[in-house]
Amino acid sequence: MLYDVAIIGCGIIGAAAAFELSRYDVSVVVLERENDVATGATKANSAIIHAGYDPDPGSLMASLNVRGNALIRRLCSALDVPFRQCGSLVLAFSRQEQAQLESLAQRGEANGVKDLEIIEQARLRELEAEVSDKVIAALYAPTAGIVSPWELTLALVECAVINAVDLQLENEVLEIRQSKGGFCLQTEKGPVEARYILNAAGLHSDVVHNMAAPPAFRIIPDRGEYYLLDKSEGERVRHILFQCPDRQGKGTLIAPTVHGNLIVGPNNEPPRFPEDTATTAEGLAEVAGKALRLVPSLNLGECIRTFAGVRAGADTPDFIIAEAAGTPGFLDLAGIKSPGLTAAPAVAEMAAALLVKSGLALRAKQSFHCERSRLRFANLSPEAKRDAVRLNPDYGRVVCRCETVTEGEILSSLRSPVPPRSLDGIKRRTAAGMGRCQGGFCGPRVMELLARETRVSPLAIPQEQRGSFLLTGETKAGR
């Protein structure tokens, strides 16, 4: 089969592109080398929907940030994705940093960000009582928010699949050759032919680009380490708290999450290799020091998990969204670092427009499906919980006690358009294993359900990526 478009990579950018193209009467295949979507930078970031005051005016980052901020609100509403417009505060500790707030506000106004305001100590205290008393002013951006990045990705991909996009997991692209019809992509499962290619391969987008076109950019990954705090700390702050940005970026932040936790981080350091998501004592100490400067009362002893994410920045200051020179039909969506999560739907719109410019006809489907809902048992009223159990007794069996996730929710995820293949895949879809014990109690039962529903031996079930097995063999009674 000759597809109209092949999308390489299924993080938030590839997912948004697949969703956008599924609106049209074209054939699309998504090729993802991992066993699930959203397993790279998309699952390990700050989960912030930025207002848009940070990027330089006139850049793609600036225009796509502001456009994406508006689009994500609508998408989250339509696709039942957790989102909260909590607003953000950039904190200034000196007159020099206060002047920097003025520059950020002017930049934001030039970018079209609404309702920006520089506030003094008294007003700041009304918004955030536990911010350091050394903070003298803050830039308040009420349009900033928080989201579940992996659930947004899943929602976009599920709708794309429902609208006839072909998602192929565990199918890495190994080689790209130009052909008479466009391109032949040699994958680990065989050849795939497509007229056009969207390169959304994240950390490996320079490698994928070089398969099809002369080298044009280089990905320079950087790692950020985080603390995830228990829900007992979840209301310590109500807004996203930033330090004043420096040459390395937006710096360490403290923010609530849509799940009720508190996230603290990141720092900025070079990884040893592109997928190096290890945490270090030195890195976490750096994050802790910077965070406590913002909120001295922060209780890092309530940490339930530390993690790291690797960002796919490029050797260019802006996003790379363009047709590759000398290779018509091959489009790069690369160098998508912060605010990439926010900008993703707008990046997808731009990619679709570039495909049209390159010759692809996009005719809107008459039967495009753009709805999704998920039952979150823990959030239901007592009456709604009784009704859910009455209709399906599986919702009456709690599997994850920390997050009150039921067997019904896990089974629903396993029967979804994009079912999980790993324990972490179920965690991202249902929150089972995301609480205080991090799966210590519910993990065996989740594995049992996954094995039963997929008819796969528990020995073959990974924690996350292919090969990350928890069990290595069986013991016989009496030995």
Side-chain angles (χ1 to χ4, degrees), residues 7 44 162 186 241 286 303 332 433 442:
I7 300 172
I162 289 171
Q186 187 61 45
L241 303 183
E286 178 188 355
C303 176
D332 290 305
C442 65

Side-chain angles (χ1 to χ4, degrees), residues 448-478:
E448 182 184 353
L449 292 170
L450 179 54
R452 187 189 78 191
E453 291 295 307
T454 59
R455 298 181 180 180
V456 170
S457 167
L459 297 174
I461 290 177
Q463 178 71 45
E464 177 63 295
Q465 286 94 352
R466 286 185 282 181
S468 58
F469 303 121
L470 293 178
L471 305 179
T472 59
E474 296 183 43
T475 61
K476 293 184 178 181

